[in-house]
């Protein structure tokens, strides 16, 4: 079992920045890939970014050049640095961990981009 807790969401003006964190606990040594997803109001959940244990990353086209995913293995924490935020980035953001035995979700953190 893996437990994930997100933090760092909030209200920010367009063009601003936020950093989300996802703290993992439990059977963390089984985690292979960690991902950030988001679910805008009234829309389906979508993949934002992913990072492997080796540090390889990939991003959705809509966030390339603005968002950066990283992980601190010593702190068992994954981050999402979000810059140049747009109103379209408004969503509930979720972290996800993939292991050999299944996938785990956090409870989500709300990001609202509005003036």
């Amino acid at each position: 079992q893996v437990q994930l807790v997100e933090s760092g969401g909030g209200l920010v003006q367009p063009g601003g920045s936020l950093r989300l964190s996802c703290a993992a606990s439990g059977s963390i040594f089984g985690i292979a890939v960690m991902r950030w997803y988001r679910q805008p109001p009234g829309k389906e959940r979508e993949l934002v970014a992913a990072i492997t244990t080796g540090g390889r990353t990939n991003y959705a086209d809509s966030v390339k050049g603005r968002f950066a995913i990283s992980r601190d293995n010593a702190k068992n924490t994954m981050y999402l640095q979000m810059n140049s935020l747009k109103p379209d980035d408004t969503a509930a953001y979720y972290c996800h961990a993939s292991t050999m035995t299944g996938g785990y979700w956090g409870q989500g953190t709300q990001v609202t981009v509005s003036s």
Side-chain angles (χ1 to χ4, degrees), residues 76-99:
N76 302 321
T77 301
M78 175 178 67
Y79 304 97
L80 186 68
Q81 178 66 44
M82 306 186 294
N83 300 324
S84 302
L85 283 161
K86 306 174 182 179
D88 285 349
D89 296 317
T90 295
Y93 284 71
Y94 300 88
C95 67
H96 180 273
S98 295
T99 72

Side-chain angles (χ1 to χ4, degrees), residues 3-37:
Q3 294 78 45
L4 303 172
V5 179
E6 301 99 331
S7 60
L11 174 64
V12 63
Q13 293 187 341
S17 298
L18 281 176
R19 189 176 81 155
L20 305 182
S21 299
C22 173
S25 60
S27 301
I28 58 174
F29 294 107
I31 295 176
V33 181
M34 296 191 75
R35 300 176 177 89
W36 285 102
Y37 286 82

Side-chain angles (χ1 to χ4, degrees), residues 31-113:
I31 295 176
V33 181
M34 296 191 75
R35 300 176 177 89
W36 285 102
Y37 286 82
R38 67 185 180 186
Q39 187 165 15
K43 297 184 178 180
E44 294 185 353
R45 195 169 295 190
E46 60 185 14
L47 178 64
V48 176
I51 187 167
T52 68
T53 51
R56 293 176 63 182
T57 61
N58 68 278
Y59 297 91
D61 287 344
S62 59
V63 306
K64 282 181 181 177
R66 299 188 298 122
F67 290 12
I69 189 172
S70 62
R71 62 196 287 179
D72 185 333
N73 292 326
K75 295 182 178 180
N76 302 321
T77 301
M78 175 178 67
Y79 304 97
L80 186 68
Q81 178 66 44
M82 306 186 294
N83 300 324
S84 302
L85 283 161
K86 306 174 182 179
D88 285 349
D89 296 317
T90 295
Y93 284 71
Y94 300 88
C95 67
H96 180 273
S98 295
T99 72
M100 292 291 289
T101 57
Y104 300 88
W105 292 94
Q107 83 289 350
T109 186
Q110 179 66 36
V111 172
T112 302
V113 185

